[in-house]
């Protein structure tokens, strides 16, 4: 019962992050299951099975709040589903002790990708919108879907930043659309895992716990997506992924304890400094916005 509650809380937290940032459910949940010693294919399969339900709840919530671009979602769903099925089949047939290393390296790279992408990202809303063709959506959907299933997460971390980096994209619409289209991607990945592994390999208690937590969080994350400081959450999520998966990777090496602790301390210091800088930047922006509002009201009166 204690593990069920913990996993439900993990599912809730992961869905809050995913629904608010457009990524993080698979990465957060899979990282935790891997650190608990679960086989990579089983961990990814369990997360995607739960994600079918949580993504449906999240997508419905985002549609209700007007956060979904249906045309964009349709262009992402088909290539994303094909990629997810392929990725699930690929991971299910990998064997050996280094499969976990492959997944950990992939998750670490995604953590770094999220960090640098969001820190350097310009505000696309201030740029003129440019229409995107299927030549952009098709490879993006396939690659994001493939790595989502084979790495335990990747649909949001690849699709969301790629879309947000395009001129004129509305962050609210991008996050809502990526979350809504994730239902089809998770369903395709789940089918691929079930055909390759069989339903007997899944721990249905874990799946149920992750589902319950995700369902509770789905409407909350859709509601707060308009006001969330996106860069702050991106840094927090990426830091967690980097720290956790560095630990998994170092376990395959012969690095001594002192060097390991130095690496952990360095990551913690850099991570804390970035968060501090973002907090100061947010405070400065709020002060500037407040001063502009006061000056505007003074001129009007």
């Amino acid at each position: 019962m204690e593990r069920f509650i913990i996993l439900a809380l993990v599912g809730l937290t992961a869905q809050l992050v995913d629904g608010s940032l457009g990524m993080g459910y698979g990465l957060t949940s899979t990282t935790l299951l891997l650190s608990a010693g679960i086989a990579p294919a089983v961990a990814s399969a369990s997360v995607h099975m739960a994600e079918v339900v949580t993504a449906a709840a999240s997508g419905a919530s985002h549609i209700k709040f007007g956060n979904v671009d249906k045309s964009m979602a349709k262009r992402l769903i088909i290539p994303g589903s094909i990629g997810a099925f392929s990725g699930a089949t690929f991971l299910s047939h990998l064997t050996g002790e280094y499969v976990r290393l492959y997944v950990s390296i992939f998750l670490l790279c995604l953590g770094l990708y999220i960090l640098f992408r969001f820190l350097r990202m310009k505000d696309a809303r201030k740029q003129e919108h440019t229409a995107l063709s299927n030549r952009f959506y098709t490879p993006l959907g396939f690659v994001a879907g493939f790595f989502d299933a084979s790495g335990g997460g990747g649909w949001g971390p690849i699709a969301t930043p790629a879309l947000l980096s395009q001129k004129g994209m509305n962050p609210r619409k991008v996050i809502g659309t990526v979350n809504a289209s994730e239902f089809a991607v998770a369903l395709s990945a789940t089918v691929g895992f079930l055909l390759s592994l069989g339903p007997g390999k899944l721990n249905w208690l874990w799946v149920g716990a992750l589902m319950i937590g995700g369902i509770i969080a789905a409407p909350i994350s859709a509601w707060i997506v308009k006001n969330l400081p996106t860069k702050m959450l991106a840094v927090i999520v990426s830091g967690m992924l980097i720290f956790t998966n560095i630990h998994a990777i170092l376990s395959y090496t012969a690095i001594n304890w002192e060097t390991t602790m130095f690496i952990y301390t360095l990551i913690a210091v850099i991570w804390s400094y970035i968060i501090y800088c973002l907090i100061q930047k947010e405070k400065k922006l709020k002060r500037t916005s407040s001063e502009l509002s006061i000056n505007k009201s003074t001129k009007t009166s």
Side-chain angles (χ1 to χ4, degrees), residues 254-272:
I255 296 176
N256 58 41
W257 184 84
E258 289 80 8
T259 305
T260 300
M261 290 307 299
F262 173 77
I263 293 172
Y264 291 159
T265 303
L266 183 63
I267 293 171
V269 169
I270 294 173
W271 188 28
S272 300

PDB file of all heavy atoms in Angstrom, residues 254-272:
ATOM      1  N   ALA A 254      34.285   2.952 -12.911  1.00  0.00           N
ATOM      2  CA  ALA A 254      35.119   2.626 -11.752  1.00  0.00           C
ATOM      3  C   ALA A 254      35.575   3.901 -11.038  1.00  0.00           C
ATOM      4  O   ALA A 254      36.586   3.896 -10.331  1.00  0.00           O
ATOM      5  CB  ALA A 254      36.333   1.816 -12.209  1.00  0.00           C
ATOM      6  N   ILE A 255      34.838   4.995 -11.211  1.00  0.00           N
ATOM      7  CA  ILE A 255      35.185   6.273 -10.580  1.00  0.00           C
ATOM      8  C   ILE A 255      35.062   6.142  -9.061  1.00  0.00           C
ATOM      9  O   ILE A 255      34.086   5.577  -8.551  1.00  0.00           O
ATOM     10  CB  ILE A 255      34.266   7.397 -11.103  1.00  0.00           C
ATOM     11  CG1 ILE A 255      34.505   7.609 -12.603  1.00  0.00           C
ATOM     12  CG2 ILE A 255      34.511   8.702 -10.352  1.00  0.00           C
ATOM     13  CD1 ILE A 255      33.585   8.625 -13.233  1.00  0.00           C
ATOM     14  N   ASN A 256      36.036   6.693  -8.332  1.00  0.00           N
ATOM     15  CA  ASN A 256      36.027   6.565  -6.876  1.00  0.00           C
ATOM     16  C   ASN A 256      34.970   7.466  -6.239  1.00  0.00           C
ATOM     17  O   ASN A 256      34.401   8.348  -6.876  1.00  0.00           O
ATOM     18  CB  ASN A 256      37.416   6.856  -6.283  1.00  0.00           C
ATOM     19  CG  ASN A 256      37.913   8.262  -6.642  1.00  0.00           C
ATOM     20  OD1 ASN A 256      37.152   9.219  -6.622  1.00  0.00           O
ATOM     21  ND2 ASN A 256      39.200   8.354  -6.964  1.00  0.00           N
ATOM     22  N   TRP A 257      34.755   7.259  -4.945  1.00  0.00           N
ATOM     23  CA  TRP A 257      33.693   7.957  -4.221  1.00  0.00           C
ATOM     24  C   TRP A 257      33.918   9.464  -4.179  1.00  0.00           C
ATOM     25  O   TRP A 257      32.983  10.246  -4.322  1.00  0.00           O
ATOM     26  CB  TRP A 257      33.611   7.398  -2.794  1.00  0.00           C
ATOM     27  CG  TRP A 257      32.490   7.991  -1.991  1.00  0.00           C
ATOM     28  CD1 TRP A 257      31.184   7.604  -1.985  1.00  0.00           C
ATOM     29  CD2 TRP A 257      32.582   9.088  -1.067  1.00  0.00           C
ATOM     30  NE1 TRP A 257      30.438   8.381  -1.131  1.00  0.00           N
ATOM     31  CE2 TRP A 257      31.281   9.302  -0.546  1.00  0.00           C
ATOM     32  CE3 TRP A 257      33.635   9.891  -0.631  1.00  0.00           C
ATOM     33  CZ2 TRP A 257      31.017  10.301   0.391  1.00  0.00           C
ATOM     34  CZ3 TRP A 257      33.368  10.894   0.300  1.00  0.00           C
ATOM     35  CH2 TRP A 257      32.067  11.085   0.800  1.00  0.00           C
ATOM     36  N   GLU A 258      35.170   9.896  -3.984  1.00  0.00           N
ATOM     37  CA  GLU A 258      35.485  11.324  -3.888  1.00  0.00           C
ATOM     38  C   GLU A 258      35.142  12.049  -5.189  1.00  0.00           C
ATOM     39  O   GLU A 258      34.557  13.139  -5.179  1.00  0.00           O
ATOM     40  CB  GLU A 258      36.971  11.528  -3.554  1.00  0.00           C
ATOM     41  CG  GLU A 258      37.365  11.138  -2.133  1.00  0.00           C
ATOM     42  CD  GLU A 258      37.546   9.639  -1.981  1.00  0.00           C
ATOM     43  OE1 GLU A 258      37.510   8.925  -3.004  1.00  0.00           O
ATOM     44  OE2 GLU A 258      37.726   9.180  -0.837  1.00  0.00           O
ATOM     45  N   THR A 259      35.522  11.445  -6.312  1.00  0.00           N
ATOM     46  CA  THR A 259      35.226  12.057  -7.616  1.00  0.00           C
ATOM     47  C   THR A 259      33.723  12.106  -7.865  1.00  0.00           C
ATOM     48  O   THR A 259      33.194  13.095  -8.385  1.00  0.00           O
ATOM     49  CB  THR A 259      35.908  11.261  -8.747  1.00  0.00           C
ATOM     50  OG1 THR A 259      37.313  11.158  -8.479  1.00  0.00           O
ATOM     51  CG2 THR A 259      35.698  11.935 -10.087  1.00  0.00           C
ATOM     52  N   THR A 260      33.030  11.043  -7.477  1.00  0.00           N
ATOM     53  CA  THR A 260      31.581  10.997  -7.643  1.00  0.00           C
ATOM     54  C   THR A 260      30.904  12.114  -6.859  1.00  0.00           C
ATOM     55  O   THR A 260      30.022  12.816  -7.377  1.00  0.00           O
ATOM     56  CB  THR A 260      31.034   9.633  -7.164  1.00  0.00           C
ATOM     57  OG1 THR A 260      31.623   8.588  -7.938  1.00  0.00           O
ATOM     58  CG2 THR A 260      29.516   9.581  -7.329  1.00  0.00           C
ATOM     59  N   MET A 261      31.327  12.304  -5.608  1.00  0.00           N
ATOM     60  CA  MET A 261      30.746  13.353  -4.777  1.00  0.00           C
ATOM     61  C   MET A 261      31.059  14.741  -5.335  1.00  0.00           C
ATOM     62  O   MET A 261      30.229  15.658  -5.262  1.00  0.00           O
ATOM     63  CB  MET A 261      31.262  13.238  -3.346  1.00  0.00           C
ATOM     64  CG  MET A 261      30.732  12.023  -2.590  1.00  0.00           C
ATOM     65  SD  MET A 261      28.914  11.912  -2.615  1.00  0.00           S
ATOM     66  CE  MET A 261      28.465  13.429  -1.781  1.00  0.00           C
ATOM     67  N   PHE A 262      32.245  14.899  -5.909  1.00  0.00           N
ATOM     68  CA  PHE A 262      32.605  16.184  -6.526  1.00  0.00           C
ATOM     69  C   PHE A 262      31.671  16.485  -7.698  1.00  0.00           C
ATOM     70  O   PHE A 262      31.210  17.626  -7.858  1.00  0.00           O
ATOM     71  CB  PHE A 262      34.054  16.156  -7.006  1.00  0.00           C
ATOM     72  CG  PHE A 262      34.446  17.379  -7.794  1.00  0.00           C
ATOM     73  CD1 PHE A 262      34.713  18.583  -7.148  1.00  0.00           C
ATOM     74  CD2 PHE A 262      34.521  17.321  -9.175  1.00  0.00           C
ATOM     75  CE1 PHE A 262      35.056  19.718  -7.879  1.00  0.00           C
ATOM     76  CE2 PHE A 262      34.861  18.450  -9.915  1.00  0.00           C
ATOM     77  CZ  PHE A 262      35.133  19.647  -9.259  1.00  0.00           C
ATOM     78  N   ILE A 263      31.385  15.472  -8.509  1.00  0.00           N
ATOM     79  CA  ILE A 263      30.489  15.648  -9.662  1.00  0.00           C
ATOM     80  C   ILE A 263      29.083  16.028  -9.194  1.00  0.00           C
ATOM     81  O   ILE A 263      28.455  16.958  -9.720  1.00  0.00           O
ATOM     82  CB  ILE A 263      30.452  14.362 -10.515  1.00  0.00           C
ATOM     83  CG1 ILE A 263      31.803  14.122 -11.173  1.00  0.00           C
ATOM     84  CG2 ILE A 263      29.347  14.460 -11.586  1.00  0.00           C
ATOM     85  CD1 ILE A 263      31.922  12.785 -11.873  1.00  0.00           C
ATOM     86  N   TYR A 264      28.582  15.309  -8.173  1.00  0.00           N
ATOM     87  CA  TYR A 264      27.246  15.612  -7.636  1.00  0.00           C
ATOM     88  C   TYR A 264      27.187  17.039  -7.080  1.00  0.00           C
ATOM     89  O   TYR A 264      26.215  17.775  -7.309  1.00  0.00           O
ATOM     90  CB  TYR A 264      26.885  14.632  -6.520  1.00  0.00           C
ATOM     91  CG  TYR A 264      26.637  13.218  -6.970  1.00  0.00           C
ATOM     92  CD1 TYR A 264      26.736  12.153  -6.072  1.00  0.00           C
ATOM     93  CD2 TYR A 264      26.298  12.933  -8.282  1.00  0.00           C
ATOM     94  CE1 TYR A 264      26.510  10.847  -6.473  1.00  0.00           C
ATOM     95  CE2 TYR A 264      26.076  11.630  -8.696  1.00  0.00           C
ATOM     96  CZ  TYR A 264      26.183  10.593  -7.790  1.00  0.00           C
ATOM     97  OH  TYR A 264      25.958   9.307  -8.189  1.00  0.00           O
ATOM     98  N   THR A 265      28.217  17.422  -6.340  1.00  0.00           N
ATOM     99  CA  THR A 265      28.254  18.759  -5.743  1.00  0.00           C
ATOM    100  C   THR A 265      28.294  19.840  -6.824  1.00  0.00           C
ATOM    101  O   THR A 265      27.605  20.863  -6.722  1.00  0.00           O
ATOM    102  CB  THR A 265      29.489  18.914  -4.827  1.00  0.00           C
ATOM    103  OG1 THR A 265      29.462  17.893  -3.827  1.00  0.00           O
ATOM    104  CG2 THR A 265      29.499  20.277  -4.152  1.00  0.00           C
ATOM    105  N   LEU A 266      29.088  19.604  -7.868  1.00  0.00           N
ATOM    106  CA  LEU A 266      29.197  20.563  -8.964  1.00  0.00           C
ATOM    107  C   LEU A 266      27.852  20.754  -9.659  1.00  0.00           C
ATOM    108  O   LEU A 266      27.438  21.891  -9.944  1.00  0.00           O
ATOM    109  CB  LEU A 266      30.254  20.085  -9.970  1.00  0.00           C
ATOM    110  CG  LEU A 266      30.536  21.012 -11.156  1.00  0.00           C
ATOM    111  CD1 LEU A 266      31.093  22.343 -10.660  1.00  0.00           C
ATOM    112  CD2 LEU A 266      31.501  20.350 -12.134  1.00  0.00           C
ATOM    113  N   ILE A 267      27.155  19.639  -9.913  1.00  0.00           N
ATOM    114  CA  ILE A 267      25.837  19.714 -10.550  1.00  0.00           C
ATOM    115  C   ILE A 267      24.861  20.491  -9.670  1.00  0.00           C
ATOM    116  O   ILE A 267      24.108  21.357 -10.144  1.00  0.00           O
ATOM    117  CB  ILE A 267      25.288  18.297 -10.836  1.00  0.00           C
ATOM    118  CG1 ILE A 267      26.131  17.600 -11.902  1.00  0.00           C
ATOM    119  CG2 ILE A 267      23.825  18.367 -11.294  1.00  0.00           C
ATOM    120  CD1 ILE A 267      25.786  16.143 -12.091  1.00  0.00           C
ATOM    121  N   ALA A 268      24.886  20.187  -8.363  1.00  0.00           N
ATOM    122  CA  ALA A 268      23.969  20.855  -7.430  1.00  0.00           C
ATOM    123  C   ALA A 268      24.232  22.363  -7.368  1.00  0.00           C
ATOM    124  O   ALA A 268      23.293  23.168  -7.340  1.00  0.00           O
ATOM    125  CB  ALA A 268      24.106  20.241  -6.038  1.00  0.00           C
ATOM    126  N   VAL A 269      25.508  22.757  -7.376  1.00  0.00           N
ATOM    127  CA  VAL A 269      25.866  24.176  -7.306  1.00  0.00           C
ATOM    128  C   VAL A 269      25.419  24.906  -8.568  1.00  0.00           C
ATOM    129  O   VAL A 269      24.819  25.997  -8.505  1.00  0.00           O
ATOM    130  CB  VAL A 269      27.392  24.345  -7.104  1.00  0.00           C
ATOM    131  CG1 VAL A 269      27.808  25.808  -7.293  1.00  0.00           C
ATOM    132  CG2 VAL A 269      27.793  23.861  -5.721  1.00  0.00           C
ATOM    133  N   ILE A 270      25.710  24.326  -9.729  1.00  0.00           N
ATOM    134  CA  ILE A 270      25.316  24.947 -11.004  1.00  0.00           C
ATOM    135  C   ILE A 270      23.801  25.057 -11.102  1.00  0.00           C
ATOM    136  O   ILE A 270      23.250  26.089 -11.504  1.00  0.00           O
ATOM    137  CB  ILE A 270      25.880  24.143 -12.196  1.00  0.00           C
ATOM    138  CG1 ILE A 270      27.409  24.215 -12.204  1.00  0.00           C
ATOM    139  CG2 ILE A 270      25.317  24.678 -13.511  1.00  0.00           C
ATOM    140  CD1 ILE A 270      28.057  23.325 -13.243  1.00  0.00           C
ATOM    141  N   TRP A 271      23.123  23.980 -10.737  1.00  0.00           N
ATOM    142  CA  TRP A 271      21.656  23.929 -10.785  1.00  0.00           C
ATOM    143  C   TRP A 271      21.056  25.002  -9.879  1.00  0.00           C
ATOM    144  O   TRP A 271      20.154  25.737 -10.276  1.00  0.00           O
ATOM    145  CB  TRP A 271      21.206  22.532 -10.365  1.00  0.00           C
ATOM    146  CG  TRP A 271      19.748  22.261 -10.538  1.00  0.00           C
ATOM    147  CD1 TRP A 271      18.890  22.825 -11.438  1.00  0.00           C
ATOM    148  CD2 TRP A 271      18.969  21.314  -9.796  1.00  0.00           C
ATOM    149  NE1 TRP A 271      17.623  22.292 -11.307  1.00  0.00           N
ATOM    150  CE2 TRP A 271      17.653  21.367 -10.304  1.00  0.00           C
ATOM    151  CE3 TRP A 271      19.253  20.432  -8.763  1.00  0.00           C
ATOM    152  CZ2 TRP A 271      16.626  20.576  -9.803  1.00  0.00           C
ATOM    153  CZ3 TRP A 271      18.231  19.636  -8.281  1.00  0.00           C
ATOM    154  CH2 TRP A 271      16.939  19.708  -8.788  1.00  0.00           C
ATOM    155  N   SER A 272      21.583  25.103  -8.645  1.00  0.00           N
ATOM    156  CA  SER A 272      21.079  26.095  -7.689  1.00  0.00           C
ATOM    157  C   SER A 272      21.318  27.521  -8.183  1.00  0.00           C
ATOM    158  O   SER A 272      20.467  28.401  -8.028  1.00  0.00           O
ATOM    159  CB  SER A 272      21.757  25.909  -6.327  1.00  0.00           C
ATOM    160  OG  SER A 272      21.507  24.620  -5.800  1.00  0.00           O
TER     161      SER A 272
END
